[in-house]
Amino acid sequence: EEDSIWQVIIGQRAEVNDRQDECKRFESTWVSAVKMCEMAAEAAYTSGADHASITMNSNLEVALSQVEKAQKLSADADKKLAETKVMEIQRMAQQPASVQNNDEEEMPEAYLRED
């Protein structure tokens, strides 16, 4: 049963890695969009559309704060993922030792004696 739980964890970890890759692509696109918005706000300001420029900057600040919160959540998830990797490594390191001990314990005493 423990092995099946660990298999689920391993599967979820693979899914998390895939999603992290997607997030990196999204973040790259996001940076480009932010730069374009900043340039649009600057162009609006220089053309005399002060209200459009102010609105664009306000919306951009809200979006940036939301991205910052998402990045913090992602960092927390990365930390938890690293912790589960450590737990798995520890479990794998203990497993061969426990299997070996179980093999020795299950051996009847009669087989261990030299007669």
Side-chain angles (χ1 to χ4, degrees):
E1 188 175 313
E2 185 177 334
D3 287 338
S4 64
I5 291 171
W6 280 104
Q7 290 300 321
V8 170
I9 290 172
I10 291 168
Q12 291 297 314
R13 183 178 302 129
E15 187 176 331
V16 167
N17 287 335
D18 292 343
R19 290 186 185 213
Q20 283 179 326
D21 291 341
E22 289 176 26
C23 286
K24 287 176 185 176
R25 286 190 297 274
F26 176 74
E27 187 175 4
S28 174
T29 303
W30 171 257
V31 168
S32 297
V34 166
K35 288 178 182 178
M36 287 186 356
C37 288
E38 289 171 342
M39 290 181 353
E42 187 176 329
Y45 182 76
T46 56
S47 69
D50 294 339
H51 182 67
S53 175
I54 292 169
T55 302
M56 177 70 76
N57 282 327
S58 297
N59 291 338
L60 189 57
E61 286 178 22
V62 169
L64 288 172
S65 70
Q66 290 174 345
V67 167
E68 187 177 322
K69 288 177 187 178
Q71 287 173 333
K72 286 180 184 178
L73 289 173
S74 177
D76 290 342
D78 287 341
K79 181 179 176 183
K80 289 178 183 178
L81 183 62
E83 290 171 359
T84 60
K85 284 181 181 180
V86 168
M87 288 173 51
E88 182 183 7
I89 290 169
Q90 289 173 342
R91 182 186 75 85
M92 296 302 277
Q94 292 173 351
Q95 189 174 11
S98 65
V99 168
Q100 185 180 8
N101 289 340
N102 286 341
D103 289 344
E104 291 174 3
E105 291 174 5
E106 292 176 9
M107 184 77 65
E109 187 176 329
Y111 293 111
L112 298 175
R113 289 185 290 169
E114 293 182 28
D115 292 331

